[in-house]
Amino acid sequence: WLFSISFCLCYAAFCPYHIGHFSIVGLGFEEYVQASHFEGLITTIVGYVLLAVTLIVCHGLAALVKFQRSRRLLGVCYIVVKVSLLVVVEIGVFPLICGWWLDICSLEMFDATLKDRELSFQSAPGTTMFLHWLVGMVYVFYFASFILLLREVLRPGVLWFLRNLNDPDFNPVQEMIHLPIYRHLRRFILSVIVFGSIVLLMLWLPIRIIKYLLPNFLPYNVMLYSDAPVSELSLELLLLQVVLPALLEQGHTRQWLKGLVRAWTVTAGYLLDLHSYLLGDQEENENNANQQPNNQHGRNNNAIPVVGEGLHAAHQAILQQGGPVGFQPYRRPLKFPLRIFLLIVFMCITLLIASLICLTLPVFAGRWLMSFWTGAAKIHELYTAACGLYVCWLTIRAVTVLVAWMPQGRRVIFQKVKEWSLMIMKTLIVAILLAGVVPLLLGLLFELVIVAPLRVPLDQTPLFYPWQDWALGVLHAKIIAAITLMGPQWWLKTVIEQVYANGIRNIDLHFIIRKLAAPVISVLLLSLCVPYVIASGVVPLLGVTAEMQNLVQRRIYPFLLMVVVLMGILSFQVRQFKRLYEHIKNDKYLVGQRLVNYERKSGKQGTSTAPPQSSQE
């Protein structure tokens, strides 16, 4: 076992690093590598590349002299190195390139320069590279998610040039093994061009247009510390715990986006006579619907036309490696290449307009709303954009609900408004209790138990900030709720699961107050009040000194927490010992168990006619 670990470490890290180090020193590139601040990583990658080239040469020589076993072993080693390099390129290098390109194209939006980025990289190279990689990874992820949404709308076969990640037959590791290096290099260059062009279209060009049309709108305020009277930590927690989860967890947002894409596709299809190409013919869809159960191996989004329909047919045939694939035919109009070109131009214009709206409207709304709260003080633009985005989402949601209610008549609308008003009132009451009182008490208790004893000396008076205590309490409440839901079954987990199951529309105010809010608030109030009463009311009656009173007041909360934790551990151990005792006793002395009918005692002295059933002994 130790030998295997040592061999893997030697093969995966030691040998490539020293091969790359000797090569870099021999070529005289040592100074350039050291200036990159990532000497170890670059040296190891160079070693992997040289090791792969060496394995290719040795594999060719082994094939030339007909050493089959050596050739097979060298081939396996080359495949391992090749797959490792391709994984590093696709997961590490490509998102990093996208992140840096996004940063470069958005410099004017934040009133920054390349010199600022260079200074930031020199001061913290690891953090800078990680943040750019993370931004690029998020960009790639959302781009792939949008492509998956497009596949649900467009006709199967339109996106033949993009890999379908939902295809069960798609195996990226198998592609890395079978496809040659030049194919991967060509795909990598094409991906960089496509992703980079989209960044130029949806980020750099809209920024230039905004600066020309609205000179005072940019740059965004992204200072690290705000001069507003509101804590940055509190705003960040509000954003992460309230605003963004409410947006991301709603299924309506994806349905709206899908509806917009479908409406745009229908409009573009009828304007350019490409409806059959983009969405397919409805009549043929109905005719083919009965044949789909007999063709389960057909893949919707990898569908291709018949052989001879173009380059995409051969491309998909290579990727699918044989086997019939279901497809949906389409009608090819006149001047088809010109119409496709106009479709691409129309798509670029639409993406540009959408990017302009997304970069301006939420920030405008957020700045306007934040001005009522913070006045003329500047707020981090991330918070204003999140606030404006949330308000826009609520407005769109309210409009869609009203439009859905309009055909039902005025009486139904009034009834719905009455129901929703009652539901909103109940939700506000629950929010005040569970999102206001409980986090405030929890944050204050955490401040008294953990923060104040560690940060404030005994000769100083601790200061408490209710706003920050509440914000930290929100985070603690979410963590406690998550741990409770993952833990064993007890009353708090049962109540939380019941509240989640009911949802907002079926909210039970009486159940929440009686089973959840009242017990939790009572426990928190007792945890806050009982130690204070003991320290301020009972201890002075004992005639102790002022220093001892101050010590008791400041240390009673962590002391009682330690006592409660110790009692909990002892109680748990006692229950475990009892279970162990019962288990040993049953294994040693238990002969069998018998199931007996339960008979309720009544005036009639009757016996049950059913014989008892014995369990397995």
Side-chain angles (χ1 to χ4, degrees):
W1 180 66
L2 293 175
F3 174 77
S4 301
I5 295 178
S6 302
F7 177 76
C8 292
L9 290 176
C10 178
Y11 179 77
F14 182 80
C15 293
Y17 175 79
H18 284 278
I19 292 173
H21 178 70
F22 294 147
S23 303
I24 290 173
V25 172
L27 295 175
F29 294 152
E30 189 174 5
E31 295 182 359
Y32 300 101
V33 174
Q34 290 178 355
S36 65
H37 300 281
F38 294 95
E39 181 182 1
L41 179 61
I42 295 178
T43 302
T44 306
I45 292 177
V46 171
Y48 268 107
V49 173
L50 294 177
L51 187 60
V53 174
T54 304
L55 289 173
I56 291 175
V57 174
C58 294
H59 183 269
L61 293 177
L64 185 63
V65 298
K66 297 182 180 180
F67 287 168
Q68 297 298 329
R69 293 185 178 179
S70 301
R71 177 173 174 269
R72 189 177 298 109
L73 179 61
L74 291 171
V76 172
C77 295
Y78 167 70
I79 287 174
V80 173
V81 175
K82 174 186 174 183
V83 171
S84 302
L85 286 174
L86 290 176
V87 168
V88 170
V89 169
E90 292 194 4
I91 299 181
V93 178
F94 182 69
L96 189 62
I97 294 175
C98 293
W100 276 106
W101 186 238
L102 282 167
D103 191 11
I104 293 172
C105 291
S106 61
L107 287 175
E108 295 184 357
M109 187 167 62
F110 305 110
D111 195 18
T113 60
L114 288 175
K115 187 66 176 178
D116 299 332
R117 297 296 182 260
E118 182 181 355
L119 294 175
S120 176
F121 175 77
Q122 291 178 357
S123 62
T127 304
T128 303
M129 297 295 284
F130 172 75
L131 291 178
H132 284 83
W133 174 83
L134 183 62
V135 171
M137 202 68 180
V138 171
Y139 168 58
V140 172
F141 170 76
Y142 279 106
F143 184 85
S145 301
F146 184 72
I147 295 300
L148 293 178
L149 187 141
L150 287 179
R151 291 186 183 276
E152 298 179 6
V153 176
L154 298 177
R155 178 188 62 83
V158 175
L159 302 177
W160 57 269
F161 51 90
L162 295 175
R163 287 177 291 182
N164 185 10
L165 302 180
N166 283 340
D167 186 6
D169 295 333
F170 172 66
N171 191 343
V173 177
Q174 187 177 2
E175 281 194 359
M176 292 179 184
I177 294 174
H178 289 288
L179 295 182
I181 289 293
Y182 75 90
R183 291 281 300 274
H184 290 288
L185 182 62
R186 184 178 65 182
R187 180 179 294 175
F188 177 77
I189 295 174
L190 180 61
S191 300
V192 170
I193 293 173
V194 171
F195 279 76
S197 303
I198 291 175
V199 172
L200 285 175
L201 178 65
M202 299 191 65
L203 191 61
W204 182 81
L205 187 58
I207 292 173
R208 305 293 298 180
I209 295 174
I210 291 173
K211 292 194 69 174
Y212 178 76
L213 297 178
L214 302 171
N216 298 325
F217 183 76
L218 293 177
Y220 287 162
N221 181 34
V222 290
M223 55 185 176
L224 295 179
Y225 296 97
S226 174
D227 55 356
V230 184
S231 172
E232 285 286 323
L233 177 63
S234 304
L235 284 175
E236 184 177 356
L237 289 175
L238 281 176
L239 172 65
L240 296 178
Q241 304 296 328
V242 179
V243 178
L244 293 183
L247 284 176
L248 296 177
E249 292 177 1
Q250 296 292 332
H252 303 286
T253 305
R254 189 176 187 277
Q255 296 298 325
W256 292 343
L257 184 59
K258 186 176 179 181
L260 288 175
V261 171
R262 182 177 294 277
W264 183 91
T265 307
V266 171
T267 304
Y270 279 110
L271 288 177
L272 301 174
D273 195 17
L274 292 175
H275 185 272
S276 177
Y277 174 75
L278 294 175
L279 297 174
D281 297 324
Q282 298 296 329
E283 294 81 8
E284 294 180 2
N285 285 341
E286 295 175 358
N287 294 333
N288 293 332
N290 297 327
Q291 300 177 3
Q292 290 182 359
N294 298 325
N295 191 15
Q296 296 294 333
H297 52 268
R299 302 292 175 248
N300 290 336
N301 294 313
N302 275 339
I304 60 171
V306 294
V307 178
E309 286 293 332
L311 177 62
H312 49 290
H315 177 79
Q316 288 293 332
I318 292 175
L319 289 184
Q320 294 295 330
Q321 298 180 357
V325 179
F327 70 93
Q328 184 177 336
Y330 63 93
R331 180 179 57 85
R332 189 185 183 98
L334 298 175
K335 299 180 180 180
F336 184 69
L338 178 61
R339 297 176 187 274
I340 294 296
F341 176 75
L342 294 177
L343 177 67
I344 295 175
V345 172
F346 186 36
M347 179 187 66
C348 293
I349 295 174
T350 305
L351 292 176
L352 178 61
I353 295 174
S355 180
L356 286 172
I357 294 174
C358 292
L359 289 176
T360 55
L361 183 60
V363 177
F364 264 129
R367 287 177 179 177
W368 179 69
L369 290 172
M370 285 289 186
S371 64
F372 294 102
W373 187 9
T374 61
K378 293 184 177 181
I379 299 295
H380 198 291
E381 220 63 69
L382 179 64
Y383 307 133
T384 59
C387 180
L389 186 64
Y390 196 54
V391 170
C392 293
W393 177 85
L394 288 177
T395 304
I396 296 173
R397 178 62 178 154
V399 171
T400 54
V401 169
L402 290 177
V403 170
W405 289 351
M406 288 295 290
Q408 301 180 10
R410 184 180 302 176
R411 181 179 301 176
V412 177
I413 293 177
F414 284 145
Q415 183 66 24
K416 293 287 186 180
V417 169
K418 181 179 178 182
E419 293 177 0
W420 277 71
S421 301
L422 182 61
M423 184 189 68
I424 291 174
M425 291 179 60
K426 292 182 179 180
T427 305
L428 288 176
I429 296 173
V430 172
I432 292 173
L433 293 175
L434 298 183
V437 178
V438 172
L440 179 61
L441 297 177
L442 194 59
L444 184 59
L445 183 62
F446 181 80
E447 184 85 14
L448 291 170
V449 172
I450 304 296
V451 178
L454 293 177
R455 297 182 59 181
V456 183
L458 291 175
D459 57 346
Q460 297 180 5
T461 302
L463 298 178
F464 301 101
Y465 300 94
W467 177 261
Q468 294 188 8
D469 292 339
W470 171 82
L472 291 174
V474 172
L475 180 61
H476 298 152
K478 292 202 69 174
I479 294 174
I480 291 174
I483 294 175
T484 303
L485 292 176
M486 291 187 298
Q489 196 70 29
W490 59 307
W491 70 269
L492 184 58
K493 180 180 179 180
T494 305
V495 172
I496 294 177
E497 289 178 346
Q498 183 64 37
V499 172
Y500 276 141
N502 292 338
I504 296 180
R505 294 190 177 184
N506 299 323
I507 187 170
D508 190 350
L509 184 60
H510 182 263
F511 176 80
I512 293 176
I513 293 177
R514 184 169 55 89
K515 295 292 185 179
L516 182 60
V520 172
I521 293 175
S522 301
V523 170
L524 292 175
L525 286 176
L526 288 175
S527 302
L528 289 170
C529 296
V530 171
Y532 180 79
V533 171
I534 294 174
S536 301
V538 178
V539 173
L541 299 178
L542 302 178
V544 297
T545 61
E547 291 78 6
M548 181 59 66
Q549 292 182 18
N550 184 38
L551 178 64
V552 172
Q553 289 178 358
R554 299 289 296 277
R555 296 294 184 260
I556 188 170
Y557 287 97
F559 174 74
L560 291 181
L561 174 64
M562 184 178 63
V563 171
V564 170
V565 172
L566 184 61
M567 291 179 62
I569 294 175
L570 291 177
S571 176
F572 176 76
Q573 293 297 331
V574 168
R575 289 198 302 268
Q576 292 297 108
F577 277 115
K578 286 184 178 180
R579 291 178 58 185
L580 179 62
Y581 169 76
E582 292 292 335
H583 181 71
I584 295 175
K585 184 181 69 173
N586 292 336
D587 288 344
K588 184 71 175 178
Y589 301 108
L590 184 63
V591 176
Q593 294 179 348
R594 176 172 297 176
L595 180 64
V596 184
N597 291 336
Y598 173 75
E599 299 179 0
R600 184 182 299 273
K601 294 182 179 181
S602 58
K604 298 181 180 180
Q605 299 295 330
T607 58
S608 176
T609 58
Q613 300 177 358
S614 298
S615 63
Q616 185 178 359
E617 297 184 0

